[in-house]
Amino acid sequence: MRAETQSPESRAVEEGLEPDLSVSIGKLTLQNPVTVASGTFGYGVEYAQLLDLNQLGAVVVKGIRLNPVPGNPTPRTAEVTSGMLNAIGLQGPGVDGFIQKYWPFLSTLKVPVIINIWGTTVEEYAEVVRRFDALGGVGALELNVSCPNIKEGGAQFGTDCNLLGQVVAACRRATTLPLITKMSPNVVNIAPYAKAAEDAGSDALAVTNSYPAMAIDIETRRPKLANITGGLTGPCIKPIAIKLVWEAARAVKIPIIGMGGIQNAEDAIEFFMAGASAVAVGTANFYEPQTPLQVIAGIREFMKRKGLRNLSQIVGSVQLTR
Amino acid sequence: MLEQIVQIVSNERSTDSYYRLVVRAPQIAPRIQPGQFAHVRILPMKDALLRRPFSIFQVEGDTFSILYKTVGKGTVALARMQSGEELSVIAPLGHGFTVPQPGAETPLLVAGGYGMAAMYLLARRSPQKGIVFVGGRRRVDILCEREFQDLGWEVRVTTEDGSHGEKGLVTQPLLAELKSAQRGRKLFACGPTPMLQAVGKIAGEHDVPAELSMDEHMCCGVGVCLTCVIRVRSGDTWEYRRTCTEGPVFDARDVVWEEAR
Ligand SMILES: Cc1cc2nc3c(=O)[nH]c(=O)nc-3n(C[C@H](O)[C@H](O)[C@H](O)COP(=O)(O)OP(=O)(O)OC[C@H]3O[C@@H](n4cnc5c(N)ncnc54)[C@H](O)[C@@H]3O)c2cc1C
Ligand SMILES: Cc1cc2nc3c(=O)[nH]c(=O)nc-3n(C[C@H](O)[C@H](O)[C@H](O)COP(=O)(O)O)c2cc1C
Ligand code: FES
């Protein structure tokens, strides 16, 4: 696609038309393609004092399983060059606690709420899905099959094509809500996993979760995390995530939500060009909570500057021929 | 809680490796309660991304200040910044100290090192004057002695090397004071974790209420990431609570200490 030279776009620029930032994820329409990454935005309410959540494409909450989870011992995070490690251990209030404590606020939002869920068995995933299906008003469910910090229930599902297919299929049978499968980066080739999720009925993929990693305090000779290893996130993983998105996008037809180190609109646009239809801002929220809003503004500005009217003109537009 | 770009009014070395930073923050300053903190993004640090938490030391008009020690990348980069430069600040954050009411218990403040920073505002806003117990390794680690005396508080200094005040740990004069068997006192403490644990234990043994400001590593500072949790009593068991949101100040009786790492 040579978007810049096409006439409708030049016309759009002349007419000063606002670009259309909306995207569809299954039957869900987002007003813009910028969401937040699960686990980096709490349950939304915490950031409501600092930014208008209704400006986002969607709010994505921290991973929830059926029962409350205490989480890992501390230290749970460590700063590394251009990124961080985390091993939170999916601390959370469980389905009932979440509904009681956080849903009253979340259900007042005008933008879709995507609930990130996990379990330790296929049946638990399906049960959590049924519970949120019954709740009503949920925008979509994101299946976390890729947490590196939990022995069962995390990456084991995301790194076994067969199990991955079973989990997604069981969740698919349990709901008509849009399902997003959150992929593990810890695979040699993401294509068969992406395909397995698509074939089992996933409406979209989230690419990617954090990378298994480790850091050591040389003064004490101890790992910087109590869990010893954790997930690497932040700007340092962006080029790896871009490659995964690009590979996944070539393997499936369903939309991809790209994430990994996004700090600004340029980063997001790179993900679009690699094949993502939407993006999520993660670690950047921690140091700059305005990042998602800055990314939205920057994408709009880029589209205007390039005379683009729709995001589809950017998605997958990387030029492979020289 | 507000997020703002603030301008540095001054950033000067106080003693040794301790600095005082004053920033102009007209919207934030009037909202600050004793024991709350500011989460600071030190913009010149390019590849160290996370904000750093600092107790709010003093509030004057439309400015507030922090008192910090250079210990690593962030604080060293901060110490190089000059008046007129900008920082991004999220503040005020956290649940601070309970300011004593007129006629309430006599406040006994216990501070180690930069923990002193969290204490000044409490002393200033407290209608009751009390005693400040301040400890450090060496003379240079004893901060703000004059400031507290100027507020009319008694200051009892201990240093581990005996270079200033009594030689030993800050808990020694505290214990002596509690043993003098006067009733109606309350402890407020901020400092290194082993000191807080010792103060918590002393408070329990003497049956005096105590509020401890916990020093935990933080990431988001606003309650979303669950980095900063400590074990807090809940019925017969415990649960993790966030130092940045439910704390940093906790009732000593509620803190469940993990075995020394
Ligand atoms: C509620 C609270 C109030 C604080 N108030 C003050 C204060 O008034 N004055 C002061 O000098 N210091 C204070 N600290 C400690 C201060 O946050 C750290 O010294 C600072 O983050 C170190 O950053 P660095 O980049 O220089 O060190 P580095 O060691 O390079 O930092 C690496 C990482 O570890 C974290 N870290 C390192 N030491 C600590 C620590 N002691 N506590 C928490 N995180 C740490 C950093 O934030 C960073 O994420 C406070 C901490 C907390 C939690
Ligand atoms: C502290 C922290 C907690 C996270 N918790 C979850 C989680 O509960 N569920 C999940 O699917 N991903 C979780 N993630 C992964 C993020 O959603 C995201 O995939 C990853 O951080 C990559 O994006 P980033 O580099 O922009 O942060 C977490 C990441 C961090 C840093
Ligand atoms: S620092 Fe993120 S929850 Fe406290």
Side-chain angles (χ1 to χ4, degrees), chain B residues 52-55 67-69 71-75 114 117 215-218 248:
Chain B
R52 276 29 181 181
F54 298 99
S55 301
L67 177 61
Y68 65 96
K69 182 178 187 183
V71 297
K73 283 196 278 295
T75 44
Y114 63 71
D215 185 352
E216 289 296 320
H217 279 226
M218 291 185 179

Side-chain angles (χ1 to χ4, degrees), chain B residues 195-234:
Chain B
M195 184 203 96
L196 296 176
Q197 186 164 3
V199 172
K201 188 157 166 267
I202 292 170
E205 285 163 4
H206 291 80
D207 201 23
V208 245
E211 293 188 9
L212 310 178
S213 178
M214 306 294 287
D215 185 352
E216 289 296 320
H217 279 226
M218 291 185 179
C219 171
C220 70
V222 300
V224 306
C225 73
L226 308 175
T227 290
C228 62
V229 297
I230 62 161
R231 295 176 183 208
V232 170
R233 230 171 281 289
S234 163

Side-chain angles (χ1 to χ4, degrees), chain B residues 24-257:
Chain B
R24 180 157 286 111
Q27 275 102 316
I28 292 171
R31 302 174 186 223
I32 295 167
Q33 297 297 318
Q36 288 189 303
F37 68 95
H39 212 25
V40 181
R41 184 158 184 218
I42 302 159
L43 299 163
M45 278 200 303
K46 291 280 182 252
D47 62 5
L49 299 166
L50 300 179
R51 289 172 182 262
R52 276 29 181 181
F54 298 99
S55 301
I56 292 166
F57 173 44
Q58 294 183 338
V59 179
E60 292 295 345
D62 63 356
T63 68
F64 74 81
S65 62
I66 63 171
L67 177 61
Y68 65 96
K69 182 178 187 183
T70 50
V71 297
K73 283 196 278 295
T75 44
V76 167
L78 186 58
R80 289 206 197 98
M81 293 183 75
Q82 291 177 356
S83 55
E85 290 190 84
E86 289 179 336
L87 291 166
S88 167
V89 161
I90 304 179
L93 293 173
H95 166 89
F97 291 113
T98 315
V99 178
Q101 293 295 306
E105 298 106 331
T106 304
L108 304 183
L109 313 191
V110 191
Y114 63 71
M116 199 65 171
M119 294 298 181
Y120 182 81
L121 210 51
L122 178 65
R124 177 128 185 205
R125 302 233 174 127
S126 171
Q128 313 276 85
K129 294 197 200 321
I131 308 170
V132 189
F133 298 88
V134 49
R137 287 228 318 279
R138 303 157 303 159
R139 184 182 196 98
V140 287
D141 297 312
I142 304 305
L143 309 167
C144 320
E145 202 178 337
R146 274 297 296 277
E147 265 101 337
F148 281 88
Q149 284 164 346
D150 289 349
L151 289 178
W153 285 58
E154 184 185 337
V155 182
R156 298 203 192 149
V157 177
T158 43
T159 50
E160 285 171 43
D161 68 358
S163 53
H164 187 40
E166 188 182 329
K167 183 170 195 272
L169 297 174
V170 70
T171 41
Q172 292 166 4
L174 173 67
L175 266 173
E177 175 64 25
L178 289 173
K179 282 192 186 129
S180 74
Q182 291 182 31
R183 304 248 128 230
R185 271 116 17 124
K186 179 167 175 181
L187 309 184
F188 298 86
C190 184
T193 305
M195 184 203 96
L196 296 176
Q197 186 164 3
V199 172
K201 188 157 166 267
I202 292 170
E205 285 163 4
H206 291 80
D207 201 23
V208 245
E211 293 188 9
L212 310 178
S213 178
M214 306 294 287
D215 185 352
E216 289 296 320
H217 279 226
M218 291 185 179
C219 171
C220 70
V222 300
V224 306
C225 73
L226 308 175
T227 290
C228 62
V229 297
I230 62 161
R231 295 176 183 208
V232 170
R233 230 171 281 289
S234 163
D236 301 340
T237 165
W238 58 266
E239 60 187 29
Y240 282 124
R241 295 259 176 83
R242 299 163 298 184
T243 301
C244 68
T245 320
E246 281 92 20
V249 176
F250 291 91
D251 187 320
R253 282 165 299 200
D254 294 340
V255 176
V256 179
W257 299 96

Side-chain angles (χ1 to χ4, degrees), chain A residues 156-168:
Chain A
Q156 101 185 32
F157 290 99
T159 52
D160 177 328
C161 262
N162 188 22
L163 265 180
L164 177 66
Q166 284 178 36
V167 170
V168 177

